[in-house]
Amino acid sequence: MRTVYSERHKLRDAQTELYGGQLVYPFERPSRAELIIDRVRTQRLGEVVAPDDFGLEPVLRVHDRDFVKFLETAWDEWSAAGFEGEAIATCWPARRMVQKPPNHIDGKLGYYALAAETSISPGTWEAAIASKDVAVTGAKFIQDGAGCVFALCRPPGHHATSDLFGGYCFLNNAGIAAQWLLDQGAGRIAILDVDFHHGNGTQDLFYDRDDVLFVSLHGMPEETFPYFLGYANETGAGAGEGYNVNYPMPPNTPFDIWREALVVALERIHSYGPDAVIVSLGVDTFELDPISFFKLTSDDFTTFGAMIAGLGRQTLFVMEGGYAIDEVGINTVNVLVGFESI
């Protein structure tokens, strides 16, 4: 299995995250990707290649142009305003407020942020662009006939909507890759999101479309981030009705229950008949993950990797979450090894 990886992810090294009323060192940190790529190499998973540069065109196919410009200039604007810390949103256009982007960067942050935990720091834009290129390069290999590719994206992407960042995400890597494949001639793409947190951004991108089936297994939104999306009755709109499928599950869900949901999800994908499958691969379903509440073990990741392979489809794995640092490499590569075992 070929892995696409960029050292430019290290440019995103934020020092602050708002968590539990404190500013802490972020759970989403450079060492995550470094541990994963080390595991890829020690397990001899396959060739590791750098991404190609695809520019902004694939980004603008799914993201709002003004939002992209904001991300590109946010750090410079923040610094020019004289702020000394990292850029964190503090005010939002809440219910019954005017939905219009302000001129001042402090207001722009709130307009374009869906949550306050994710700061913008030096190098964030450059890392996000590189992460997008990792995903699209993986998609290009799929287009060229590869059976399976691992896009080791960092920062992750599935919380980023067309015009909002948050949840450690800035550009929606899986969504950009899906649209790129469609633009190259694919008829249907399925996105399977197995991250613990609901892929609200990916759902947002394709909610009214039938050329992308979005299926997500995640913690119930009543109990966990992103809280305001991911309910089972969110099934799509217009042409997309029936092409958005959510499987929310409660705290302490064990693998046998999670696996039952995956079986149903895979049956839905099979019946859809996609040209390719994109897996938003989060391993924060792990029992020791510090910001999640499912109970999967390391061996379970190998098992469900093999289950996904059972679809018999070209598959692009796009890295999302997973914050148990000691096991993040083990659990990620276990999924890929499980997939290749079939």
Side-chain angles (χ1 to χ4, degrees):
M1 182 186 300
R2 183 182 285 120
T3 294
V4 187
Y5 169 74
S6 172
E7 292 282 346
R8 291 178 65 80
H9 81 87
K10 297 176 184 178
L11 296 173
R12 166 68 181 169
D13 188 13
Q15 300 300 301
T16 52
E17 173 181 337
L18 183 60
Y19 177 76
Q22 295 179 306
L23 288 176
V24 301
Y25 184 58
F27 291 100
E28 203 296 290
R29 56 188 67 171
S31 58
R32 294 179 60 249
E34 293 163 13
L35 289 164
I36 294 169
I37 198 63
D38 286 349
R39 185 71 175 180
V40 165
R41 287 171 171 146
T42 59
Q43 294 299 110
R44 299 181 180 177
L45 190 67
E47 181 185 18
V48 177
V49 300
D52 293 329
D53 183 352
F54 287 85
L56 282 180
E57 183 177 354
V59 175
L60 295 174
R61 292 288 291 133
V62 300
H63 285 290
D64 174 77
R65 184 176 295 273
D66 289 339
F67 170 66
V68 172
K69 185 65 175 178
F70 159 77
L71 290 177
E72 184 177 9
T73 61
W75 178 253
D76 288 342
E77 288 190 52
W78 179 260
S79 299
F83 296 117
E84 296 182 0
E86 293 179 332
I88 299 176
T90 59
C91 182
W92 286 265
R95 289 184 292 272
R96 296 177 299 282
M97 286 185 173
V98 175
Q99 305 296 308
K100 178 182 177 181
N103 294 327
H104 195 278
I105 183 60
D106 194 31
K108 285 182 184 179
L109 278 164
Y111 183 80
Y112 288 115
L114 64 86
E117 83 293 283
T118 302
S119 63
I120 292 179
S121 57
T124 293
W125 169 250
E126 292 80 4
I129 285 293
S131 190
K132 167 271 301 181
D133 283 332
V134 167
V136 180
T137 300
K140 179 66 165 59
F141 286 131
I142 292 293
Q143 184 205 25
D144 291 343
C148 182
V149 179
F150 175 39
L152 207 181
C153 293
R154 181 182 174 270
H158 73 149
H159 292 306
T161 75
S162 62
D163 58 358
L164 293 169
F165 77 93
Y168 314 139
C169 302
F170 303 94
L171 298 175
N172 195 303
N173 304 310
I176 292 168
Q179 184 62 55
W180 189 89
L181 285 169
L182 292 169
D183 290 342
Q184 306 312 306
R188 288 183 160 193
I189 300 296
I191 299 177
L192 172 63
D193 193 322
V194 295
D195 189 280
F196 168 79
H197 302 95
H198 178 248
N200 61 288
T202 314
Q203 174 172 308
D204 174 74
L205 294 180
F206 302 111
Y207 199 65
D208 59 355
R209 293 170 52 172
D210 61 3
D211 54 354
V212 176
L213 171 68
F214 177 66
V215 182
S216 178
L217 285 66
H218 53 269
M220 56 197 303
E222 299 96 329
E223 300 291 343
T224 192
F225 186 90
Y227 294 109
F228 303 107
L229 215 62
Y231 290 89
N233 64 355
E234 297 161 9
T235 57
E241 177 60 45
Y243 296 95
N244 192 90
V245 188
N246 288 323
Y247 299 96
M249 287 170 272
N252 300 312
T253 292
F255 181 61
D256 58 341
I257 301 300
W258 190 92
R259 178 177 179 167
E260 290 176 6
L262 181 62
V263 168
V264 178
L266 294 175
E267 290 172 351
R268 180 69 182 87
I269 292 171
H270 175 73
S271 66
Y272 181 67
D275 295 315
V277 176
I278 295 175
V279 180
S280 273
L281 178 57
V283 294
D284 44 359
T285 50
F286 182 54
E287 59 184 345
L288 300 180
D289 196 274
I291 56 174
S292 308
F293 55 57
F294 286 171
K295 299 301 178 184
L296 276 64
T297 68
S298 291
D299 288 343
D300 295 333
F301 290 96
T302 308
T303 300
F304 85 68
M307 293 172 66
I308 294 171
L311 285 171
R313 301 282 175 175
Q314 288 181 284
T315 303
L316 172 63
F317 287 92
V318 174
M319 194 67 208
E320 302 288 0
Y323 310 102
I325 293 298
D326 291 342
E327 294 87 5
V328 67
I330 295 169
N331 295 338
T332 300
V333 174
N334 277 3
V335 176
L336 307 177
V337 169
F339 184 95
E340 289 209 310
S341 69
I342 299 300

